[in-house]
Amino acid sequence: MSTTAVRRPPPPFAQEHEDFRKVVRRFVENELRPRAQEYEDAKWFPNEVFARCGKLGYLGLKFEERYGGQGGGYVADAVWTEELARCGSGGLAAGLGAHTSIALPPIWKFGTEEQKQRWLVPGIRGEKIGALGITEPDAGSDVAGIKTHARRVEGGWLVNGSKTFITNGVRADFIVTAVKTRQEGGHHGLSFLVVERGDGVHSSALEKLGWHASDTALISFDDVFVPEENLLGEENQGFYLIMANFQWERLLMALGSLGGMQASFERTLEFARERRAFGKPIGSHQAIRHKLAEIATTIEVGRAITYDALRRFVDGDDAVREVTMAKLATQRAAFDVADSCLQIHGGAGYMKEYGIERAARDTRLGPIGGGTDEIMKEILGKTLGL
Amino acid sequence: MKICVLVKEVPDAAVEKRIDHSTGRMDRSGEKNLNPFDTHAIEAAMQIKEGGAVPVEEVVAVTMGPESAVRALHKAVSLGADRSVHLSDEALAGSDVVATGYALSKTLERESPDLVLLGQQSDDGECYTIGAVVAEYLGMPSLTQVIKIDVEEGKLRCERQAEYGYDTVSVQLPAVISVGDAINEPRYPSLKAIMGAKKKPLDALAASDAGVEASRVGLDGSMVECGDFTDPPQKEPGQIIEDEDTAETVEKVVAWLEERKLI
């Protein structure tokens, strides 16, 4: 008789991670996805979502138990990120992701014990929400061009300048902010200050193509006093803090794209089975069938390269090349997949109801955020000795 | 109070159910999962424990099944059970419902529970009867398809789903109660709970350890004999009316219904 084979989880995932994946998937399907449209329309999602995720342990998966984390390391966080993307709202996933994956890690890695108690512990519980402030109107990947500056005053600094495209920028209780602490700035003149919401911190939400549920903001600092104890890491060593989390951020973007692509693909496959044209399901027409075969292959290629990069990263290998390739291979692909899925849906794809138009808008950010595709190619060019 | 929850490893819901013609048993290869109905039973146990109306010393997950069933126990523990018991023996393979109920009751006797909870049906066999069989062997009252449990002094006040509405029944402890999926929404086990499940105590028992008489279990000890299995007859293909002209389609549908005196 024929039996059905059990498929083992692909490295670096263990069976427990796959069990956890099912749990997260159920949570996302039950509690996030049904609200996605509402959050998108409101251009906001309530802070209670952070608290709920914090209660379930999802904001502290990789952090140690002594800080209230789950002690699960990067692999558990990878599962969460991939599954979270299935919520159907890039903005919601981005808000939660920016908090746990880019705002908290610098505090976790470089913060003093006191700083961890102040921001990491309540951050893991979802009681305080963080944002990472690096990008400025005139400085993105070119971080040496950062102009926001911190002037030494008694007991701390006075910060002036502005940050833009900051995820959680409106709601954040604290902003892990890159500032110039030397007049000349540059790689050796940057520091990280944790700026808490208060006098002189002004945020305004930005209108965007996608990620509507995210309060992506322009933040301006107007003579904001930041006390001494809010310096993260060493003064003028901020550049290393920026670089330290890049690989993880890019891996997470690749993982998020995989989850998003998979969700769009599954919905489209279902649609292609149900929607009939010329007497049969549209998936039975060769043009559509081939398109779906291509999409499935694109996702599998992305998955292979991303999981491989993740495995190397988790093993502690130098994985810059593979991580860069994983991001490059998945971000434009996710947009293309969403576009193909929209096309297969025809007119329905252009309607809000199916969530496919949102996927197409949301995924357009991928080749831009966390270092553009062009920057990825520059990094890879260097690894080729060019 | 000590609560035992009976759990079962079943083929994952996504796996197509098939009978293995050579053995007359269900083909249980492929992806497996903890029986979804049992997750509601564990949650019910946890809610009694956390509810505080009665002190619960322990929630113990109990299963009978092959080696792989250990994973169902791990899941049960990740959902909150304190420890688990795994009855596993070649001699048990092929047991019918009565034999399985007998073997489980012997295992439960060792634990002396005040309350036995289980899902009202398994996602594979769907016999709905194992709770009643276990109760019969244990000499305990049994309630099935329960969708609400309230703890009262030495008793439980339960609502059970009936065809005509709900029965409210007060049951003396110890008792065996099978629950429906409407009773609660099982919690999301934390990563820590999933990762730590293997570390929780697990007693592995052979049939003889549980005092199970070999002659009363397994294929030979079961009274059910499986005859031939055949696929259900293929349905006649229905008549498909292509909707080219809606007025005409309606006429055709009405004519079809009139012909059969349905309208």
Side-chain angles (χ1 to χ4, degrees), chain A residues 174-190:
Chain A
F174 60 90
I175 305 143
V176 180
T177 312
V179 295
K180 209 163 72 163
T181 35
R182 269 189 184 147
Q183 195 55 42
E184 63 273 25
H187 290 153
H188 303 293
L190 290 176

Side-chain angles (χ1 to χ4, degrees), chain A residues 1 4 16 19 26 70, chain B residues 20 29-30 71 187 192 198:
Chain A
M1 64 171 289
T4 318
E16 285 87 347
D19 291 343
R26 182 160 69 92
Q70 296 278 312
Chain B
D20 177 352
S29 62
R71 285 202 54 220
R187 66 196 57 197
K192 238 190 305 191
K198 280 185 184 165

Side-chain angles (χ1 to χ4, degrees), chain B residues 54 90 190 234 259:
Chain B
V54 58
E90 269 302 313
S190 71
Q234 288 283 328
E259 209 175 291

Side-chain angles (χ1 to χ4, degrees), chain A residues 351-382:
Chain A
M351 301 298 122
K352 259 186 173 181
E353 186 191 339
Y354 287 79
I356 293 293
E357 59 85 33
R358 195 194 306 145
R361 288 184 289 103
D362 284 352
T363 49
R364 187 58 188 86
L365 187 91
I368 300 169
T372 60
D373 276 7
E374 290 70 25
I375 291 286
M376 295 306 109
K377 289 175 197 171
E378 282 301 293
I379 294 169
L380 289 171
K382 275 186 199 153

Side-chain angles (χ1 to χ4, degrees), chain A residues 108-226:
Chain A
W108 174 49
K109 276 190 199 153
F110 302 101
T112 62
E113 191 56 34
E114 190 258 334
Q115 289 173 328
K116 287 176 190 174
Q117 292 300 328
R118 271 176 76 190
W119 299 300
L120 181 63
V121 171
I124 288 172
R125 285 202 295 259
E127 291 167 3
K128 274 189 185 170
I129 299 164
L132 179 72
I134 297 178
T135 303
E136 297 188 357
D138 294 319
S141 288
D142 176 21
V143 289
I146 282 172
K147 288 187 183 135
T148 297
H149 64 273
R151 184 166 57 85
R152 268 279 181 195
V153 292
E154 199 187 332
W157 290 269
L158 268 191
V159 177
N160 281 283
S162 59
K163 296 286 173 184
T164 195
F165 313 147
I166 306 306
T167 308
N168 291 340
V170 174
R171 73 175 87 227
D173 298 299
F174 60 90
I175 305 143
V176 180
T177 312
V179 295
K180 209 163 72 163
T181 35
R182 269 189 184 147
Q183 195 55 42
E184 63 273 25
H187 290 153
H188 303 293
L190 290 176
S191 303
F192 260 101
L193 296 176
V194 182
V195 181
E196 292 181 288
R197 184 144 323 260
D199 290 345
V201 180
H202 307 285
S203 299
S204 51
L206 298 163
E207 291 290 328
K208 313 175 290 298
L209 171 69
W211 280 26
H212 286 172
S214 164
D215 56 326
T216 310
L218 173 70
I219 304 177
S220 63
F221 303 110
D222 188 10
D223 273 342
V224 179
F225 174 74
V226 178

Side-chain angles (χ1 to χ4, degrees), chain A residues 33-154:
Chain A
R33 191 157 158 177
R35 315 288 296 271
Q37 187 63 57
E38 179 191 329
Y39 297 160
E40 287 283 308
D41 290 343
K43 298 190 173 174
W44 179 263
F45 62 94
N47 284 351
E48 286 73 42
V49 179
F50 284 92
R52 176 75 176 138
C53 292
K55 189 164 181 277
L56 294 172
Y58 298 155
L59 304 182
L61 291 168
K62 64 179 172 295
F63 304 124
E64 292 88 349
E65 292 182 36
R66 66 177 181 277
Y67 300 118
Q70 296 278 312
Y74 287 108
V75 183
D77 222 16
V79 172
W80 156 251
T81 302
E82 197 180 333
E83 292 305 315
L84 179 60
R86 299 176 67 95
C87 74
S89 162
L92 172 59
L96 293 167
H99 172 65
T100 57
S101 303
I102 58 176
L104 293 181
I107 297 170
W108 174 49
K109 276 190 199 153
F110 302 101
T112 62
E113 191 56 34
E114 190 258 334
Q115 289 173 328
K116 287 176 190 174
Q117 292 300 328
R118 271 176 76 190
W119 299 300
L120 181 63
V121 171
I124 288 172
R125 285 202 295 259
E127 291 167 3
K128 274 189 185 170
I129 299 164
L132 179 72
I134 297 178
T135 303
E136 297 188 357
D138 294 319
S141 288
D142 176 21
V143 289
I146 282 172
K147 288 187 183 135
T148 297
H149 64 273
R151 184 166 57 85
R152 268 279 181 195
V153 292
E154 199 187 332

